[in-house]
Amino acid sequence: MLYLIRPQQTVDWVDLPHHFADVAAEYGEPDMALFNWGPVEQFGFHSTVVRLALRFGIPCSTGIVVRGTDLVPFTWLLDVAKLAETPVRSQDLPNEDLMETLMPGWKQESRNMDERVAAAMTAKATELREDLDEELNKPTVPELVQHWRNLGGVLPDPI
């Protein structure tokens, strides 16, 4: 999967293998802006996406193309954060009183399990945040920064 980040603050995607981007980067053709791009639904324009694009992207006539794998640290963090917003409450199921009668201690064990799941989610979010920070600590590619500016893009702060 490839993503096209444009200075007009849009992110589009196309379901093509990464090697298309590699070939375009190596030979300068085709202009990847000509691919059949569609709007991204899972996340929108975000400064972190631009920051990653400035490190790992490939310039095209309308923006910077990024391989899906280069956005994984960001998208996984978004996914885990979204999951963590809704606390797990496994004891709030239909017939919970029946379960407690059949298996005394079921409600308490369910609460304990919910706490373990929440702790695991927090730990995973911390790990993913560290992975993302590691990627963002890598240097930007000066040519991509200049390309972004030339297209009228605003550089994020921090870059």
Side-chain angles (χ1 to χ4, degrees):
M1 191 161 316
L2 301 173
Y3 294 90
L4 173 57
I5 293 76
R6 293 189 176 107
Q8 298 81 8
Q9 298 191 352
T10 62
V11 180
D12 292 322
W13 74 284
V14 64
D15 190 14
L16 289 174
H18 294 171
H19 78 272
F20 277 82
D22 298 334
V23 169
E26 184 174 345
Y27 297 103
E29 291 185 30
D31 178 9
M32 289 185 285
L34 301 176
F35 293 166
N36 189 23
W37 298 95
V40 170
E41 296 177 10
Q42 66 201 66
F43 61 90
F45 188 87
H46 193 279
S47 63
T48 302
V49 173
V50 175
R51 292 175 69 199
L52 290 167
L54 294 173
R55 286 159 175 79
F56 307 109
I58 300 163
C60 74
S61 63
T62 61
I64 299 175
V65 174
V66 183
R67 296 167 196 84
T69 52
D70 293 326
L71 295 181
V72 164
F74 174 69
T75 57
W76 281 8
L77 182 59
L78 285 181
D79 291 345
V80 169
K82 185 177 179 180
L83 288 171
E85 286 177 1
T86 307
V88 178
R89 298 200 33 90
S90 59
Q91 72 273 11
D92 292 340
L93 298 173
N95 300 318
E96 65 183 35
D97 292 331
L98 174 62
M99 291 299 295
E100 181 66 28
T101 301
L102 295 173
M103 298 172 18
W106 180 83
K107 286 183 180 182
Q108 182 58 47
E109 186 55 37
S110 293
R111 281 190 287 277
N112 294 343
M113 182 179 60
D114 293 346
E115 290 171 10
R116 290 191 304 271
V117 168
M121 293 291 280
T122 300
K124 188 63 176 176
T126 300
E127 175 188 333
L128 292 172
R129 182 56 158 150
E130 290 169 357
D131 291 347
L132 179 58
D133 288 343
E134 183 179 322
E135 296 300 304
L136 293 173
N137 284 330
K138 293 179 180 175
T140 59
V141 176
E143 294 81 11
L144 288 173
V145 172
Q146 189 58 50
H147 177 70
W148 188 252
R149 284 183 175 149
N150 290 346
L151 291 175
V154 176
L155 293 175
D157 185 23
I159 191 169

